[in-house]
Amino acid sequence: MDRNDRWGDLLRRANRGEGAAYALFLTECAPVIRNVVRGRRGDSGADDIEDIVQEVLLAVHAKRHTWREADPVTPWLYAIARYKTADAGRKRRTGGTQVPLDDVAEVLPDEASGEIMAVRDLGVMLDRIDERSAGIVRAVGIAGESAGEVGARLGMSEGAVRVAYHRAMTRLKDLAEAKDETRE
Amino acid sequence: MKTEDLINALAAEAAPAPAASVETRVGLALPLAVLVSVVLYFLFLGPRPDLAERIIDPVVAAKTLLPLGLAMLALVLALRSARPAVPLGLPARVVWLVPAIALGLFVWAFVTTAPDSRFMLWQGKSIPVCLPMIVILSLPLTAGMLAAMRRGASVRPGFSGALAGLAAAGLATTIYSTFCNEDSPLFYATWYSLGILLATLIGALAGSRLLRW
């Protein structure tokens, strides 16, 4: 079976709520996405490339409704991968993650990116995202609770907590970058 | 987080993809935006008194129908551009007919107009109304288009914004043309085009910010 047909079939089933088909689709896409990212940002480290791959996967997830069932999947996937890779390159080039040393009272390792963020700034920024996400970041990122524990407390699945955490961290990073831009 | 974990987390969220597409949203937002523009039109402009008798003249009808055609084509293009990797197709070529016809009308009017009245007709009397009003009437439409298109995933936000602005400008100019009594293509092929260009530019600038995702 042609890859387009296969992926089309998987994504169609995924879009009807079939988790197993979706997992298979994303798993098979990941290496292709990784190739696109590597081809365009070959100078980046392996961690950085994996970050971008994850950003692309999140983008595919968030925009999966923009694929029309009659269309081939591959061009759609490549377009998203290229767009997100370019976007990631732009964000990193603008140097949004440079934090002045003096500001770093304490640092929080961001497991999603390996970048650092000042805790003092983090407190301010946490107020700017919704309460639920902020709570998840505090619990997982600062208090060090596991996604399972937080999920049990909030009545969410472990997976949902991970996704929420990942998204919140991405938003915080964007906020930090926006802030640095205004500071310059 | 390992990529594998992320995939499992996402797959756990494999709820049916949200139903409302860009098309549905544009279908909801655009009529509302048209209503706003039409209200603005009746507040500040209103139809010319001799509209019914003049609109039968093909040269007069053209200043309403050309922007309307432009709007329809640009709308299709904007919607297509809001999805990754959807080819723009035939409308992307057909749309160039609009400026070509406008240019043709301009040249025809230039040739058939007496040399001493060319400049007068080209300049007209309403540039200070025409340009700002086309832009103003286009703004609610551009806003509606962009708001709906944020639902999509344009991989060229500036370009998609320009197409949204172009569609909005086409509709705005269609509306404006029923007020305007400058019937020489020397006037409207020039100044309508400039107004449309300005509105398109605004769409491009707004889109390059608002349509990023």
Side-chain angles (χ1 to χ4, degrees):
Chain A
M1 198 198 263
D2 173 55
R3 188 171 72 178
N4 257 320
D5 296 339
R6 179 177 161 75
W7 285 1
D9 180 53
L10 288 176
L11 189 52
R12 199 172 301 119
R13 279 156 56 197
N15 277 346
R16 304 217 158 86
E18 225 179 281
Y22 196 32
L24 200 55
F25 170 74
L26 292 173
T27 307
E28 289 186 15
C29 284
V32 175
I33 293 171
R34 198 170 291 119
N35 278 339
V36 173
V37 176
R38 212 177 272 145
R40 296 186 162 237
R41 296 197 50 83
D43 51 335
S44 312
D47 282 352
D48 208 25
I49 284 177
E50 211 49 34
D51 275 350
I52 302 174
V53 170
Q54 295 190 3
E55 278 170 37
V56 174
L57 285 169
L58 279 166
V60 165
H61 179 71
K63 297 294 185 183
R64 63 199 193 279
H65 61 274
T66 64
W67 174 68
R68 292 181 306 194
E69 299 199 342
D71 289 345
V73 180
T74 327
W76 176 81
L77 184 74
Y78 272 80
I80 292 181
R82 282 195 299 265
Y83 175 76
K84 275 299 177 188
T85 308
D87 193 49
R90 198 164 39 234
K91 279 184 187 160
R92 282 158 178 75
R93 256 199 314 283
T94 52
T97 48
Q98 288 160 12
V99 179
L101 265 183
D102 298 356
D103 287 1
V104 186
E106 211 184 327
V107 293
L108 168 76
D110 170 5
E111 68 160 295
S113 69
E115 285 157 357
I116 55 170
M117 201 182 275
V119 160
R120 201 183 67 194
D121 289 350
L122 183 65
V124 175
M125 285 186 299
L126 278 176
D127 292 338
R128 291 173 53 190
I129 64 174
D130 64 289
E131 227 169 84
R132 194 166 132 109
S133 307
I136 291 174
V137 171
R138 283 201 190 90
V140 177
I142 302 176
E145 287 183 58
S146 77
E149 286 164 356
V150 178
R153 188 152 47 78
L154 297 177
M156 296 164 73
S157 75
E158 186 180 339
V161 172
R162 281 180 206 269
V163 174
Y165 177 72
H166 192 99
R167 281 193 185 144
M169 287 313 287
T170 308
R171 254 155 61 215
L172 286 172
K173 257 193 286 169
D174 288 346
L175 283 175
E177 281 163 21
K179 209 165 151 225
D180 280 0
E181 272 167 30
T182 52
R183 198 183 282 158
E184 275 155 21
Chain B
M1 187 187 229
K2 288 214 303 252
T3 300
E4 208 178 297
D5 295 335
L6 178 69
I7 288 174
N8 290 332
L10 291 177
E13 265 203 7
S21 64
V22 187
E23 288 78 5
T24 320
R25 291 224 173 172
V26 169
L28 291 171
L30 203 54
L32 275 177
V34 169
L35 195 67
V36 174
S37 291
V38 168
V39 167
L40 287 176
Y41 165 82
F42 277 107
L43 279 179
F44 295 113
L45 306 167
R48 61 194 284 188
D50 56 353
L51 179 63
E53 54 207 80
R54 297 295 292 126
I55 199 90
I56 353 171
D57 181 343
V59 178
V60 179
K63 72 178 190 175
T64 300
L65 295 179
L66 276 179
L68 186 62
L70 178 71
M72 296 304 124
L73 290 162
L75 181 63
V76 173
L77 291 171
L79 288 173
R80 290 192 179 173
S81 81
R83 291 173 191 272
V86 170
L88 295 177
L90 192 62
R93 270 165 282 155
V94 177
V95 77
W96 290 103
L97 274 177
V98 176
I101 294 172
L103 183 66
L105 281 167
F106 184 93
V107 170
W108 170 82
F110 187 85
V111 172
T112 55
T113 304
D116 52 348
S117 49
R118 276 176 195 155
F119 181 75
M120 202 188 70
L121 285 177
W122 175 75
Q123 195 184 29
K125 294 184 187 65
S126 59
I127 299 172
V129 184
C130 172
L131 286 183
M133 279 317 290
I134 286 180
V135 172
I136 289 169
L137 292 178
S138 79
L139 291 180
L141 298 156
T142 305
M145 287 290 294
L146 291 178
M149 284 165 70
R150 280 172 64 87
R151 174 100 186 103
S154 172
V155 293
R156 286 185 289 171
F159 179 66
S160 287
L163 288 172
L166 189 63
L171 287 173
T173 308
T174 305
I175 297 171
Y176 178 82
S177 69
T178 60
F179 157 81
C180 169
N181 58 11
E182 314 256 14
D183 291 338
S184 169
L186 292 178
F187 180 87
Y188 69 72
T190 307
W191 304 110
Y192 284 17
S193 304
L194 186 60
I196 290 170
L197 217 58
L198 288 174
T200 305
L201 202 65
I202 292 172
L205 290 173
S208 66
R209 299 194 72 90
L210 297 174
L211 296 181
R212 279 173 64 178
W213 50 284

